[in-house]
Amino acid sequence: MSTPLPMFPLSTVVFPGVSLPLHVFEDRYRALVHHLLRIDDPAERVFGTVAVREGYEVGDHGSQSLYRVGVRLQLTDVEANDDGTFEIEAVARERIVLEGLDPSGEFAVGDVAEHPDAEGPVPEEVLTRARATFTAYRAAISELQGTTFSGSLPRDPGYLSWTLAALAPLPMAERQSLLEADSPRDRLELVTSLLREELRAINVIPSLPATEVARTAWSPN
């Protein structure tokens, strides 16, 4: 069952748990921020995002082609600038599926449905392999360009799958495939495979700079 949700398409894939800073300057998204600020309960100041497959994030014609799977975002911090723009921060919550988009109002409104992960156990060997692969990748990147990620990885399979997906330095289509994976196990197996391919490329051509690991802050909230 779908429900209406204000939408803010972006030229990036956003994963649950990620803290996302945004500079809001286009009229339609400034209107969206004003709309959210009129909502008394901060927990209800929510909007959605999906990645722009083709076209543009902003502009007269808007985005031309969107991925359908995205996330619900909760506005957590707002700073108004003198020129009417905003600096905002939002935390990505659960996955959504965009079933339709109405761009005719002050801001785009989507018909969205919930898209939870499928439940099921994750074998310990899948978890171990994913952690070991990321650790090896982190070490390889550190040798090339300094430390890019520090801290311990989550133990929970779901949190771990989203953390590694968010940190994996991959092209948009592959990051989108991680977002769309049906379960934590599927996501962990896919990110392990993709990072192993990155490791092979680094080992074969070590003189080329590796893609920088995404520096987006990740929070399990």
Side-chain angles (χ1 to χ4, degrees):
M1 181 177 178
S2 62
T3 57
L5 184 69
M7 295 299 296
F8 195 146
L10 295 168
S11 57
T12 188
V13 178
V14 181
F15 296 97
V18 164
S19 179
L20 184 70
L22 292 169
H23 173 62
V24 181
F25 61 93
E26 192 186 5
D27 287 345
R28 74 181 75 183
Y29 300 125
R30 287 159 62 174
L32 170 56
V33 173
H34 284 292
H35 163 75
L36 294 173
L37 291 177
R38 288 194 292 269
I39 299 173
D40 291 334
D41 185 354
E44 297 301 318
R45 294 173 181 171
V46 294
F47 58 106
T49 190
V50 290
V52 179
R53 188 195 303 264
E54 297 173 358
Y56 304 94
E57 185 177 306
V58 296
D60 293 339
H61 300 290
S63 55
Q64 302 300 310
S65 178
L66 303 174
Y67 287 102
R68 292 185 63 233
V69 177
V71 294
R72 191 187 308 272
L73 294 159
Q74 180 181 341
L75 183 68
T76 56
D77 192 48
V78 180
E79 181 180 345
N81 298 318
D82 292 340
D83 61 0
T85 63
F86 294 96
E87 310 300 328
I88 71 171
E89 187 163 325
V91 173
R93 293 176 13 182
E94 63 275 8
R95 284 192 307 181
I96 57 173
V97 176
L98 180 64
E99 298 183 340
L101 187 69
D102 179 4
S104 62
E106 279 190 300
F107 47 83
V109 176
D111 289 322
V112 305
E114 304 297 329
H115 187 32
D117 271 346
E119 296 183 2
V122 180
E124 188 61 36
E125 60 266 25
V126 172
L127 297 170
T128 300
R129 190 159 48 243
R131 291 191 183 98
T133 301
F134 180 77
T135 299
Y137 180 81
R138 177 174 58 184
I141 292 297
S142 295
E143 289 185 7
L144 291 175
Q145 57 188 49
T147 301
T148 55
F149 175 82
S150 61
S152 59
L153 294 171
R155 298 188 62 83
D156 177 81
Y159 287 166
L160 178 64
S161 75
W162 289 127
T163 300
L164 297 188
L167 292 170
L170 300 167
M172 180 181 289
E174 293 178 346
R175 289 173 66 81
Q176 182 68 28
S177 68
L178 290 170
L179 179 64
E180 295 181 8
D182 289 333
S183 68
R185 176 175 182 170
D186 290 345
R187 190 170 301 111
L188 287 168
E189 290 178 338
L190 179 56
V191 75
T192 298
S193 174
L194 293 171
L195 286 177
R196 283 183 169 182
E197 291 179 9
E198 292 288 314
L199 274 170
R200 282 193 289 270
I202 291 171
N203 290 331
V204 170
I205 318 176
S207 61
L208 291 181
T211 307
E212 183 175 1
V213 171
R215 296 179 182 271
T216 308
W218 189 91
S219 165
N221 297 320

